[in-house]
């Protein structure tokens, strides 16, 4: 992957790349909004039932996704469906620190966006207001899961740079082979191998 | 006979002498022994059948095929902990490095004295450990093939006051590819897929994959079979249903699956379930240290775990190498974007090492539904401090071995450089417990063995208290953390259970 510097001129392709990704993503919004929300991916999403705690909260998450997915939440929670994995593969390392910060803070913004969305849910989705308030209270009192969830998303952004990304893997030189291991050690280290007398019977 | 979801063309009504739920280290050895003794055995595995030739060093494929929740399982708590367990034919044996070690000296004595498991003496278990080691071809890791990280750290570890021991492995003809955790592609590592399950099949056992057991059926407190659904691979879609009638049921679904299945099954029973079912979760919390050298060491080559290290005088810590795929290392490498790339660009110069603690902390698991298990774990100060001590000692050992930089796996961790070694080591001690990026590699203890129904879930053979003919056989029956990788101990106890059932029945036949 090409490394980019941060001078204003050289930022241009980066910005163009970012905007291309954003544009492609935005382009699908009308479709996403018009079609009935396809939440089937949640059935198989590794996050299901993990970052959020109970059945009712999971139900809330699904409602949350239905509203938020076509907007900013798509980045965080719907990335598989929205094709963001490939975009991350392509762009994450190319992004300027400014773009990274923007994404970083957008994701952190979800921390506050989620409870607010819950309140919206109580109005638009018929969620029992008391449940919504309980949920909000729990989130604010115990933000660990959410905090970790968001941080994890950021970590996973790094993960996805290498997840099924042959270019990136090749770039770091990872090339396991089931043939004979190469001899790469210097003789001094080799000579310090445990002797048979040191080994457990 | 192995049948997968797409080969099952109707709902199934089966009967056998013993039905075994799970095909890992707790289920497969029992399946082999019982089938060889003439029992009609059915093994039901929730995961898919992935033969050796399908294993490739590809994180995406391996996660999807072999790991529960695609390797993204989480235990809630502070810090939340990534939990790894298998969901494939072969269970979690398909995920490890083949390390096959007996419990450390004193562990069985602890179980006898603290948990009343008086039968579990070294002499009593010796034949089962011996048999397991023979069956799995356990031998010392070939020192010519141990990984660069192992070779490098042992020089530093000795200077830093650690004891270094060669590890025993269940691998025959290992070529040292270093990709074990994504499924051994050469068939050398003795997963149950290539060891006990072929024996079971040869003796007439039937294996159904993609078969999720949802309930154990009881009649008057006695297990009489199981029921469940055949699922479309990688989906939660029921394509068929099955019922299996059997006078014996062995639950080997791991420390998450076994208590969940028992909770679901016993919840509808009039007799109360053992109160401790699902409690007492131990996981061997594991922290990772990355060490960077000034030249490429090609850390992914060789046997990832060839040596075990422990700080002298401490029995609660166990450190060993690891071979992470770049995507896994990327989760630990600090920074995002350009900063992250700068670290990852040095991947070929990176050694990866893990330290795990024999945890005193506890958690619990609870079935949410047929698919999901909610796990919680409270990392105590004592264990967190031990892990930080372990990370610091590993960093020290790597600096002694010539590392130019060390990176502890923690959110916001400061990268330590050799020139400022004292500060680097001190910064590890100052890490907050909540910032540690931990994995739980060995979930156990959630159907703990014990001397009474009040204090444990199963008896010394794994039989569920208050019920007949239903046994747990996996790491869930350990009453406390084992302190070493549990595969060999689980296997030995499974062989012991099979012998127990054979001895209980007339003439060894059901």
């Amino acid at each position: 992957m090409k490394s980019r510097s941060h001078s204003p001129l050289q930022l241009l392709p980066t910005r163009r790349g970012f905007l291309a990704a954003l544009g492609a993503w935005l382009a699908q919004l009308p479709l996403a909004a018009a079609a009935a929300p396809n939440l089937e991916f949640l059935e198989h999403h590794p996050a299901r039932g993990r970052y959020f705690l109970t059945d009712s909260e999971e139900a809330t998450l699904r409602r949350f996704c239905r509203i938020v997915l076509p907007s900013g939440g798509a980045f965080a929670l719907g990335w598989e469906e929205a094709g963001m994995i490939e975009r991350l593969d392509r762009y994450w390392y190319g992004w300027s620190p400014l773009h990274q910060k923007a994404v970083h803070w957008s994701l952190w913004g979800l921390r506050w966006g989620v409870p607010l969305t819950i309140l919206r849910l109580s109005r638009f989705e018929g969620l029992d207001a008391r449940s919504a308030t309980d949920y909000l209270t729990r989130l604010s009192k115990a933000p660990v899961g959410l905090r970790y969830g968001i941080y994890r998303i950021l970590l996973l952004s790094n993960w996805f740079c290498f997840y099924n990304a042959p270019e990136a893997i090749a770039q770091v030189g990872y090339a396991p082979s089931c043939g004979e291991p190469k001899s790469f050690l210097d003789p001094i280290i080799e000579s310090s191998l445990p002797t048979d007398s040191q080994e457990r019977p | 006979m192995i049948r997968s979801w797409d080969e099952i063309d109707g709902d199934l009504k089966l009967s056998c002498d013993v039905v075994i739920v799970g095909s890992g280290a707790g289920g497969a050895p029992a399946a082999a022994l019982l089938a060889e003794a003439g029992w009609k055995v059915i093994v039901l595995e929730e995961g898919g059948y992935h033969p050796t030739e399908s294993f490739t060093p590809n994180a995406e494929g391996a996660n999807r095929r072999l790991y529960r929740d695609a390797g993204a399982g989480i235990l809630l708590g502070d810090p939340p902990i990534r939990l790894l367990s298998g969901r494939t034919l072969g269970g979690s044996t398909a995920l490890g490095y083949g390390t096959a070690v007996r419990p450390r000296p004193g562990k069985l004595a602890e179980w006898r004295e603290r948990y009343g498991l008086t039968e579990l003496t070294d002499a009593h278990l010796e034949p089962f450990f011996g048999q397991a080691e023979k069956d799995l071809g356990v031998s010392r890791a070939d020192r010519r093939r141990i990984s660069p990280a192992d070779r490098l750290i042992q020089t530093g570890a000795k200077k830093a006051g650690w004891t270094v021991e060669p590890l025993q492995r269940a691998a025959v003809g290992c070529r040292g590819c270093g990709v074990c955790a994504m499924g051994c592609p050469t068939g050398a590592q003795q997963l149950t897929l290539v060891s006990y399950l072929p024996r079971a099949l040869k003796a007439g056992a039937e294996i159904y994959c993609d078969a999720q057991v949802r309930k154990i059926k009881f009649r008057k407190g006695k297990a009489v079979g199981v029921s469940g659904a055949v699922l479309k691979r990688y989906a939660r879609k029921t394509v068929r249903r099955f019922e299996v009638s059997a006078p014996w049921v062995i639950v080997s679904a791991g420390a998450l699956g076994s208590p969940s299945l028992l909770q679901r099954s016993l919840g509808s029973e009039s007799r109360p379930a053992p109160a401790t079912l699902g409690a007492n979760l131990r996981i061997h919390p594991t922290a990772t240290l990355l060490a960077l050298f000034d030249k490429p060491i090609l850390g992914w080559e060789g046997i990832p775990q060839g040596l075990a290290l422990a700080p002298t005088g401490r029995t609660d810590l166990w450190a060993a190498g690891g071979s992470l795929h770049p995507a896994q290392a990327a989760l630990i490498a600090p920074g995002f974007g350009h900063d992250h790339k700068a670290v990852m660009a040095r991947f070929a110069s990176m050694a990866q090492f893990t330290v795990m603690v024999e945890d005193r902390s506890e958690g619990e698991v609870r079935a949410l539904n047929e698919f999901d298990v909610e796990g919680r774990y409270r990392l105590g100060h004592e264990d967190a401090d031990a892990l930080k001590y372990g990370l610091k000692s590993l960093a020290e050992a790597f600096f002694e071995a010539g590392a130019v930089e060390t990176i502890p796996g923690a959110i916001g961790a400061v990268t330590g450089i050799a020139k400022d070694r004292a500060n680097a080591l001190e910064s590890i001690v100052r890490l907050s417990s909540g910032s540690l990026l931990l994995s739980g590699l060995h979930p156990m203890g959630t159907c703990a063995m014990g001397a009474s129904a009040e204090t444990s879930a199963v008896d010394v053979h794994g039989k569920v208290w208050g019920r007949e003919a239903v046994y747990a056989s996996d790491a869930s029956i350990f009453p406390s953390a084992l302190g070493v990788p549990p595969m060999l101990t689980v296997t030995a106890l499974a062989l012991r259970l099979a012998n127990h059932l054979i001895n209980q029945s007339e003439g060894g036949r059901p």
Side-chain angles (χ1 to χ4, degrees):
Chain A
M1 246 169 282
K2 197 176 166 186
S3 176
R4 299 169 199 272
S5 77
H6 309 148
S7 80
L9 278 179
Q10 285 175 311
L11 259 180
L12 194 59
T14 303
R15 185 178 297 153
R16 189 181 297 153
F18 176 75
L19 291 175
L22 189 65
W25 170 57
L26 286 170
Q28 67 188 16
L29 287 187
L31 279 176
N38 176 11
L39 297 178
E40 198 182 342
F41 79 96
L42 271 179
E43 294 291 339
H44 321 300
H45 198 283
R48 186 175 184 273
R50 300 293 167 192
Y51 304 145
F52 291 77
L53 311 182
T54 65
D55 285 346
S56 64
E57 283 163 354
E58 188 183 353
T60 308
L61 169 64
R62 294 170 72 86
R63 292 179 178 192
F64 161 69
C65 288
R66 196 179 302 164
I67 288 185
V68 180
L69 269 186
S71 57
F75 187 87
L77 294 163
W79 56 6
E80 277 181 336
E81 194 173 54
M84 288 308 290
I85 295 170
E86 290 79 5
R87 281 159 213 171
L88 276 171
D89 279 352
R90 222 174 307 150
Y91 296 115
W92 182 244
Y93 278 160
W95 286 358
S96 72
L98 183 68
H99 293 138
Q100 289 171 26
K101 269 198 168 46
V103 173
H104 185 103
W105 287 113
S106 310
L107 292 171
W108 272 106
L110 279 177
R111 176 175 179 181
W112 307 109
V114 171
L116 288 173
T117 304
I118 300 304
L119 289 181
R120 285 184 63 194
L121 287 172
S122 67
R123 294 180 60 189
F124 299 117
E125 285 287 305
L127 184 72
D128 169 51
R130 186 174 163 189
S131 305
T133 311
D134 282 352
Y135 190 50
L136 178 63
T137 309
R138 285 181 67 174
L139 283 177
S140 57
K141 273 188 183 167
V144 171
L146 189 59
R147 186 183 73 202
Y148 187 79
I150 291 169
Y151 198 86
R152 198 176 166 83
I153 287 165
L154 288 170
L155 289 176
L156 286 173
S157 304
N158 288 338
W159 154 278
F160 277 116
C161 288
F162 294 92
Y163 188 81
N164 195 27
E167 293 166 30
I169 292 170
Q171 198 175 27
V172 299
Y174 180 69
S177 156
C178 288
E180 286 294 311
K182 293 175 200 163
S183 177
F184 44 76
L185 296 166
D186 80 33
I188 298 166
I189 297 168
E190 186 76 39
S191 68
S192 69
L193 289 169
T195 61
D196 288 339
S197 62
Q198 289 173 289
E199 289 160 6
R200 197 162 58 170
Chain B
M1 181 201 72
I2 301 179
R3 293 179 75 186
S4 298
W5 71 278
D6 50 353
E7 297 162 331
I8 298 170
D9 47 15
D11 289 353
L12 299 171
K13 261 192 184 297
L14 307 166
S15 66
C16 59
D17 299 321
V18 58
V19 58
I20 299 177
V21 184
S23 62
L33 248 67
L34 291 168
E36 285 168 353
W39 292 39
K40 185 176 181 197
V41 176
I42 289 181
V43 177
L44 300 169
E45 168 56 53
E46 188 180 0
Y49 168 42
H50 303 287
T52 298
E53 54 270 26
S54 71
F55 295 148
T56 54
N58 166 302
E60 183 198 24
N63 277 22
R64 183 174 160 88
R65 286 192 300 258
L66 308 181
Y67 286 79
R68 183 168 296 282
D69 294 323
I74 286 287
L75 284 173
L76 296 166
D78 193 8
I81 295 174
R82 185 180 182 214
L83 190 71
L84 297 175
S85 63
R87 187 176 184 264
T88 181
L89 188 63
S92 295
T93 64
L95 316 180
Y97 294 122
T99 300
V101 291
R102 296 189 180 199
R104 66 169 174 74
K107 179 48 74 177
L108 292 176
E110 176 202 316
W111 286 3
R112 290 194 299 273
E113 287 156 21
R114 289 187 60 183
Y115 303 101
L117 300 170
T118 51
E119 199 175 300
L120 297 187
T121 62
D122 293 283
H124 171 71
L125 290 177
E126 175 57 38
F128 304 112
F129 275 112
Q131 186 63 48
E133 286 167 342
K134 190 178 163 205
D135 291 344
L136 297 171
V138 173
S139 63
R140 180 172 47 79
D142 181 349
R143 66 184 193 181
R144 292 166 304 172
R145 296 183 193 276
I146 64 174
S147 72
D150 272 353
R151 291 176 187 236
L152 287 163
I153 199 174
Q154 63 183 328
T155 56
K158 285 171 187 164
K159 284 184 197 170
W162 289 61
T163 57
V164 180
E165 273 190 357
L167 272 176
Q168 301 286 110
R169 301 184 75 228
V172 179
C174 172
R175 297 184 204 160
C177 317
V179 298
C180 326
M182 291 179 274
C184 175
T186 66
Q189 193 181 321
Q190 295 299 291
L191 328 174
T192 59
L193 187 65
V194 300
S195 54
Y196 286 110
L197 291 174
R199 272 176 55 182
L201 286 169
K202 193 177 172 191
E206 294 176 13
I207 299 174
Y208 292 85
C209 295
D210 312 298
Q212 183 189 55
V213 176
R214 293 185 171 169
K215 271 226 166 120
I216 303 168
K217 296 191 289 185
F218 290 93
R219 193 174 300 141
K220 293 180 182 172
K222 182 179 182 305
V224 293
V226 301
S227 62
V230 177
L231 303 174
K232 185 179 174 186
R233 181 87 44 94
Y234 309 129
R236 294 183 172 198
K237 185 179 173 190
T238 297
V239 291
R240 302 289 175 202
R241 296 193 180 275
F242 64 80
E243 286 194 9
V244 182
S245 305
W248 303 92
V249 176
I250 296 177
V251 182
S252 308
L256 303 183
S258 291
S260 309
L261 175 59
L262 288 166
Q263 282 168 349
R264 284 199 304 272
S265 306
L266 301 179
S268 55
E269 287 271 297
S270 53
R271 303 167 193 220
T276 57
L277 203 59
N280 189 47
L281 173 68
R282 313 296 173 98
I283 56 167
H284 287 160
T286 301
T288 306
L289 185 94
L290 306 178
L292 292 159
F293 289 81
D294 57 4
K295 59 182 178 185
I297 62 163
L298 309 184
W300 54 82
E301 292 190 342
I303 298 167
Q305 274 185 1
L307 301 173
L309 285 72
T312 306
R314 289 193 74 145
T315 56
D316 60 339
L317 289 172
W318 191 90
S323 175
L324 302 177
H325 183 275
Q328 294 164 323
L331 285 169
I332 296 164
F336 301 103
H338 291 287
D339 297 340
H340 184 257
K341 187 179 182 181
V343 176
M344 286 303 294
R346 297 161 73 191
F347 186 72
S349 308
M350 185 187 286
Q352 305 145 4
F353 232 78
T354 60
V355 60
M356 75 182 198
V357 63
E358 184 182 320
D359 41 341
R360 292 140 282 211
S361 313
E362 287 182 33
E364 64 274 333
V365 298
R366 180 172 71 94
L368 290 178
N369 50 45
E370 294 91 346
F371 297 96
D372 296 311
V373 179
E374 179 186 283
R376 289 168 185 270
Y377 187 84
R378 294 166 293 279
L379 183 72
H381 290 300
E382 203 178 350
D383 288 339
D385 289 346
L387 285 168
K388 285 186 273 183
Y389 174 83
L391 283 173
K392 173 176 170 274
S393 300
L394 279 180
E396 200 169 5
F398 271 117
F399 281 137
E400 289 286 351
V404 292
E405 203 169 324
T406 61
I407 303 167
I411 293 172
V414 178
T415 302
I417 54 170
K419 278 188 289 186
D420 196 10
R421 178 168 160 169
N423 271 341
L425 297 176
E426 192 53 35
S427 72
I428 295 175
V429 180
R430 284 199 303 267
L431 289 169
S432 76
S433 308
S435 70
L436 294 171
L437 288 170
L438 302 180
S439 298
L441 301 184
H442 307 133
M444 57 201 146
T446 47
C447 301
M449 288 185 286
S452 76
E454 287 71 40
T455 57
S456 57
V458 300
D459 72 10
V460 71
H461 289 290
K463 186 178 81 65
V464 178
W465 288 113
R467 301 296 191 283
E468 294 304 318
V470 57
Y471 291 80
S473 173
D474 50 39
S476 72
I477 66 173
F478 296 173
S480 68
L482 191 65
V484 295
M487 188 269 284
L488 191 71
T489 306
V490 173
T491 303
L493 292 177
L495 295 174
R496 174 174 169 269
L497 170 60
N499 269 280
H500 172 69
L501 294 181
I502 291 168
N503 292 338
Q504 266 201 338
S505 55
E506 284 178 24
R509 302 298 295 267

